Amino acid sequence: MGDGVLQELGRLEALARAELTAITTAEELQALRVRFLGRKGLLTTILRQMGTVPAAEKPLVGRRANDVKAMLEASLDAHRETLAHASIAAALTDRLDMTLPGRRPATDGHEHPIRQMTRRVLAICTDLGFSIFDGPEVESEQHNFEALNMPADHPARDMQDTLYVEAGACQRLLRTHTSPVQIRVMLAQPPPVRIVAPGAVFRRDADVTHSPMFHQVEGLYVDHGVTFQHLKGTLLQVLERLFGEGISVRFRPSFFPFTEPSAEIDLGYHRDAHGMRLARHGAEPVTDWLEILGCGMVDPAVFEAVGYDATAVSGFAFGLGIERLAMLEWGIDDIRRFYENDLRFLTQL
Ligand code: PHE
């Protein structure tokens, strides 16, 4: 009886090998697997007859059955690999049509409007003789506040609701303005200083004209005999080169702990259907003003903090809001649009 089972196992093996060579698809292969090795498959059917095999022959027949099963599984797996490789190779040769035109890389992208505006401002300032400097976005309280004449209990700190990233003795924070770069530059070099410093700044406020992250360009000019006239002339130059002549510029007295006297500059605008538009003399009336920068003469306390002789040098500083300028340039009504990454918005600018 054992011989009969052995013979059937032999036939099964031969049959499976023969059929396997004709298989060309994964579906056919799966069907074959089920037919030979499935729970109700041919091998199972043969093994049902094990009960009729004499006890002495059982180990031999059993071993043979296991071998056949293992061999079949291995051949099926190997064939599956072969099919997979063949189908990849076929796919590759099929699609490689050398006559098709190449895929064009997207070249219609452009700089983000914030970058564009920053670059414009920097180009104008470097034209006027300023060099570009960089500072870290994570700052020490010393650079961001103390050296700028804002000690821990100074009420002006309240205006800049701060995002602290490290507590304890040496507190670190996301800089609330680019003014700490003034400190870094003055600590690193003697006067004269003529620098601009672009970058992101962070505050805890958000509405249509405020965002928790926005961009400034800081300016600092320190030399012998720098006056408010230089400040005014320089900033008017920057704004007129940026927006053209005929814009409405308003100097408004203000306060910053690190400048004295201090001012803010507003630009006159009016609204149209889409958003803010810069008002131009003789063209549109000014219906409202948008603050675009803070400025002033460097406070002697700041010179003291960096080791400059306040009796020998003077200087002016300014901090310009890039988003605000971009809103006026392109007539944008909501600052949050800059950060939503909506291509329908970005491709218009
Ligand atoms: N740092 C100030 C702000 O962010 C702006 C400023 C810079 C004012 C330089 C005066 C001088 O509000």
Side-chain angles (χ1 to χ4, degrees):
M1 219 30 234
D3 285 354
V5 175
L6 282 179
Q7 271 171 18
E8 282 193 51
L9 284 171
R11 268 201 299 277
L12 179 83
E13 184 180 351
L15 181 65
R17 280 183 187 285
E19 288 196 15
L20 198 55
T21 57
I23 298 285
T24 56
T25 70
E27 291 73 31
E28 288 171 4
L29 189 68
Q30 181 56 18
L32 187 92
R33 187 186 291 272
V34 171
R35 194 153 67 78
F36 281 87
L37 296 176
R39 266 193 304 128
K40 293 177 185 160
L42 295 173
L43 183 64
T44 314
T45 313
I46 296 172
L47 293 182
R48 286 233 180 80
Q49 302 167 31
M50 281 295 277
T52 66
V53 175
E57 293 172 27
K58 268 188 183 155
L60 180 79
V61 177
R63 208 177 311 128
R64 173 79 176 121
N66 278 338
D67 287 349
V68 168
K69 184 171 184 224
M71 188 279 304
L72 278 182
E73 274 169 354
S75 312
L76 284 162
D77 288 347
H79 201 76
R80 192 185 50 203
E81 289 275 301
T82 312
L83 287 181
H85 284 237
S87 83
I88 290 171
L92 285 178
T93 46
D94 262 8
R95 300 227 181 112
L96 201 67
D97 179 350
M98 304 294 277
T99 67
L100 285 175
R103 228 176 262 172
R104 222 170 253 287
T107 52
D108 54 348
H110 59 70
E111 281 191 319
H112 189 278
I114 296 302
R115 288 258 164 199
Q116 292 181 47
M117 185 49 79
T118 305
R119 204 178 283 280
R120 283 191 207 180
V121 171
L122 292 180
I124 294 167
C125 293
T126 49
D127 239 25
L128 295 176
F130 289 82
S131 334
I132 301 173
F133 263 77
D134 238 358
E137 290 175 359
V138 177
E139 260 298 4
S140 68
E141 281 201 305
Q142 176 63 28
H143 289 94
N144 193 83
F145 290 130
E146 253 109 88
L148 288 164
N149 199 24
M150 272 192 269
D153 54 355
H154 199 289
R157 281 204 190 188
D158 296 346
M159 294 188 334
Q160 305 198 345
D161 244 347
T162 312
L163 299 159
Y164 284 88
V165 295
E166 204 178 300
C170 71
Q171 297 208 318
R172 302 221 158 249
L173 46 95
L174 298 182
R175 65 178 177 190
T176 59
H177 49 179
T178 42
S179 300
V181 185
Q182 290 184 34
I183 302 302
R184 289 182 175 275
V185 171
M186 287 192 282
L187 285 174
Q189 66 171 78
V193 170
R194 212 181 293 123
I195 60 108
V196 277
V201 302
F202 308 83
R203 292 182 200 175
R204 261 196 57 216
D205 51 8
D207 59 45
V208 288
T209 53
H210 295 87
S211 150
M213 189 273 305
F214 60 102
H215 298 81
Q216 291 186 330
V217 169
E218 189 82 10
L220 175 68
Y221 179 26
V222 182
D223 206 340
H224 297 285
V226 178
T227 70
F228 203 90
Q229 278 187 308
H230 295 114
L231 177 156
K232 198 168 174 187
T234 305
L235 290 176
L236 283 175
Q237 260 298 304
V238 171
L239 293 174
E240 283 192 352
R241 288 196 190 193
L242 196 56
F243 292 119
E245 282 173 19
I247 51 174
S248 298
V249 183
R250 181 169 82 175
F251 272 81
R252 184 163 41 76
S254 184
F255 172 81
F256 297 101
F258 36 94
T259 48
E260 179 63 31
S262 306
E264 280 169 301
I265 291 186
D266 306 328
L267 292 183
Y269 69 94
H270 66 102
R271 287 185 184 282
D272 69 10
H274 305 293
M276 304 168 160
R277 291 286 173 193
L278 267 181
R280 292 188 188 275
H281 296 324
E284 303 94 356
V286 171
T287 56
D288 222 334
W289 298 91
L290 185 67
E291 177 208 326
I292 52 148
L293 67 83
C295 59
M297 301 307 293
V298 179
D299 194 291
V302 175
F303 285 143
E304 207 164 293
V306 297
Y308 278 16
D309 179 357
T311 61
V313 291
S314 57
F316 70 78
F318 59 91
L320 218 146
I322 292 294
E323 276 79 354
R324 301 277 182 94
L325 296 180
M327 288 171 87
L328 291 172
E329 169 72 2
W330 289 296
I332 294 156
D333 57 348
D334 187 334
I335 198 172
R336 289 167 295 202
R337 294 201 196 288
F338 289 120
Y339 317 114
E340 286 165 351
N341 280 339
D342 186 336
L343 283 178
R344 288 168 303 179
F345 168 75
L346 292 174
T347 51
Q348 288 179 48
L349 305 176

